[in-house]
Amino acid sequence: EFGRNYLTWVLLPIRAWRGEDVTADVAELVRWASGFDDSSAEEAIHGLLADVALGRLDYATAYDESVRFAGSDALNAPRSYFEAGFAALLMGDAQKAQAALELHIATGVHGRLARLDEKAIHAGVSALNANRDAALAEFRETLTGYRDLGVDWRVAIAGLVMAAVLDVEQPEVRAAAESAREILSRLGAQPFLDHLNAVLAGQARAVASRRSSALQAAPTV
């Protein structure tokens, strides 16, 4: 039973992020973990619920559950704070993203990936605070670093965040969004692909509306 449930647990985030219905498995795993006389098993439930919430694009829940889990698990804290950070950015909350960034830094985690993750969150916060030139420069450095490390999932997430917090009419942002679309399609990450498509469609409608308004306001000759 332990081996079967552990394997189900490990695979569940991938399934959730591909848009599969994992409701029954989540309920069973929560029941199972709650039966252990071990506080770490119950705390791990919050990490599981965070992953499921991300797959449902429920960023508020993902943020709260990630932060709670990270506070109880030093090993997984950097990953959880990073996920909390990008969840906050995707719901447009600069304050929560900044909090997640500071918590990530406070873990003391070392390595190039950790620094890139922090730069990615900081770039998003800069964009939400209207420091768009600085944000674009940081996103550029982050994407280059992620690509050098070969971490496609991070490349896709950074591209999704860029599209959400910057103007996709900018060539670099559009290129990052298209790269994210290709990766998300290849990985079968349908919920995130749906979010990206919705962002692109929404911005396209906004641009078209602005152009239409400008044309209507233009003086006739």
Side-chain angles (χ1 to χ4, degrees):
E1 181 189 41
F2 184 91
R4 181 179 65 252
N5 286 343
Y6 180 76
L7 182 59
T8 300
W9 193 298
V10 171
L11 292 176
L12 194 134
I14 298 174
R15 294 174 54 211
W17 295 353
R18 286 180 170 175
E20 294 183 27
D21 182 0
V22 295
T23 305
D25 283 333
V26 171
E28 173 58 24
L29 290 175
V30 169
R31 182 203 61 77
W32 175 65
S34 298
F36 284 92
D37 185 19
D38 182 348
S39 61
S40 63
E42 291 199 17
E43 291 295 343
I45 293 172
H46 297 291
L48 183 72
L49 295 178
D51 288 334
V52 173
L54 277 176
R56 293 172 177 165
L57 307 186
D58 179 0
Y59 298 127
T61 299
Y63 182 92
D64 291 342
E65 295 289 359
S66 291
V67 169
R68 181 167 180 177
F69 176 51
S72 68
D73 188 320
L75 178 64
N76 291 296
R79 169 183 177 265
S80 291
Y81 286 136
F82 172 68
E83 290 184 3
F86 85 72
L89 293 173
L90 289 175
M91 61 181 174
D93 193 324
Q95 186 174 356
K96 284 189 173 182
Q98 180 64 34
L101 172 60
E102 292 172 5
L103 288 167
H104 190 285
I105 294 171
T107 66
V109 63
H110 298 290
R112 189 178 178 195
L113 182 61
R115 299 291 80 77
L116 289 169
D117 285 347
E118 289 165 4
K119 188 180 290 290
I121 297 172
H122 189 269
V125 172
S126 295
L128 290 175
N129 287 329
N131 299 319
R132 291 181 175 82
D133 289 341
L136 189 58
E138 285 189 294
F139 274 126
R140 187 184 303 127
E141 293 176 20
T142 301
L143 285 171
T144 297
Y146 281 159
R147 289 182 178 122
D148 286 347
L149 291 178
V151 284
D152 279 1
W153 174 245
R154 292 292 207 283
V155 174
I157 289 301
L160 171 57
V161 171
M162 283 181 73
V165 299
L166 292 172
D167 183 359
V168 293
E169 291 295 297
Q170 293 183 276
E172 278 189 88
V173 180
R174 171 63 66 173
E178 292 301 333
S179 177
R181 192 204 300 269
E182 184 278 323
I183 294 169
L184 294 172
S185 297
R186 171 160 47 86
L187 296 178
Q190 193 61 47
F192 301 100
L193 184 59
D194 289 344
H195 186 163
L196 177 60
N197 288 334
V199 167
L200 295 177
Q203 290 202 21
R205 285 193 296 270
V207 169
S209 177
R210 288 197 299 270
R211 288 175 178 168
S212 176
S213 297
L215 287 172
Q216 291 174 8
T220 57
V221 179

